[in-house]
Amino acid sequence: MKKLFCFLLFGMVILTGTVACSKEAVNEEEVMELVKEYKTKQYTIKDPDKAPTGPEIGEEVKSCFSKDEFDRQMANRSFSLAPDIAKKTNKSIALTDIKLKKEKENDDGTVNYTYTLELKFYDDQTSEVIEKNGQLSISNDDGLKIARDWEDRTTQVEGEIF
């Protein structure tokens, strides 16, 4: 009876370990696609006079986020930054490049990244490319989702901080 119990216990440990370790690894190309889709929607402002609102941008990018992080971003009005700065500077905005660097795989299954965005601010007469740095964490619990997004808020465009 002891042998049967030990055998069953051993089997359960192996099964549990297999299930716990079977979490699919994060595919770096898919992460880049997700971040590019999200940041393009967040920062593309074609006409500063007809810029989308923060909540409208939020609805467009909602599928990229975990529920908790989406709620946090909405509460912090993060999606209002691009439309607000476009209106204040009377410039259109376009994402021109993303540099994404993997930093750390966490025990909870998330993966931390740092990023640098190149954003083009332009109108009919001028054009300027600025860099904006940030960090994010990607979760793969239920498909790739952004579990955390933080951006440096010291970037300046025409004297306006965003």
Side-chain angles (χ1 to χ4, degrees):
M1 189 62 144
K2 274 186 175 181
K3 287 183 182 181
L4 179 61
F5 179 73
C6 287
F7 181 72
L8 288 173
L9 184 60
F10 179 72
M12 295 287 281
V13 169
I14 294 296
L15 181 61
T16 303
T18 303
V19 170
C21 293
S22 68
K23 214 179 234 191
E24 196 172 313
V26 174
N27 179 314
E28 298 304 314
E29 289 176 15
E30 290 176 1
V31 170
M32 180 55 107
E33 288 175 28
L34 173 70
V35 174
K36 187 171 186 173
E37 173 190 351
Y38 158 50
K39 291 299 181 181
T40 298
K41 289 178 180 178
Q42 181 183 15
Y43 282 109
T44 299
I45 307 292
K46 293 181 181 179
D47 183 350
D49 293 328
K50 298 176 185 170
T53 65
E56 289 171 338
I57 293 172
E59 283 304 311
E60 278 195 52
V61 299
K62 187 175 187 174
S63 64
C64 298
F65 285 91
S66 68
K67 181 183 178 348
D68 289 344
E69 184 60 14
F70 177 75
D71 292 345
R72 196 171 12 260
Q73 294 293 326
M74 288 297 287
N76 290 335
R77 299 183 37 180
S78 299
F79 306 126
S80 297
L81 293 174
D84 290 350
I85 197 75
K87 289 175 185 175
K88 286 179 181 177
T89 62
N90 198 31
K91 303 259 180 174
S92 298
I93 306 172
L95 177 71
T96 59
D97 193 22
I98 299 174
K99 295 176 183 106
L100 191 63
K101 181 180 176 193
K102 183 177 179 178
E103 295 291 331
K104 180 182 175 192
E105 293 185 24
N106 301 305
D107 293 339
D108 66 358
T110 60
V111 181
N112 293 347
Y113 294 85
T114 56
Y115 61 83
T116 301
L117 306 176
E118 287 185 8
L119 300 168
K120 178 179 172 183
F121 285 77
Y122 63 97
D123 59 19
D124 292 338
Q125 289 83 33
T126 63
S127 175
E128 175 185 11
V129 175
I130 61 118
E131 289 187 347
K132 189 161 182 65
N133 297 311
Q135 306 168 4
L136 55 80
S137 297
I138 300 292
S139 169
N140 197 19
D141 289 338
D142 187 27
L144 288 182
K145 300 285 182 185
I146 297 168
R148 178 182 65 92
D149 184 22
W150 173 88
E151 288 185 353
D152 182 11
R153 302 270 166 103
T154 61
T155 307
Q156 288 195 13
V157 176
E158 294 189 7
E160 297 289 335
I161 295 175
F162 99 108

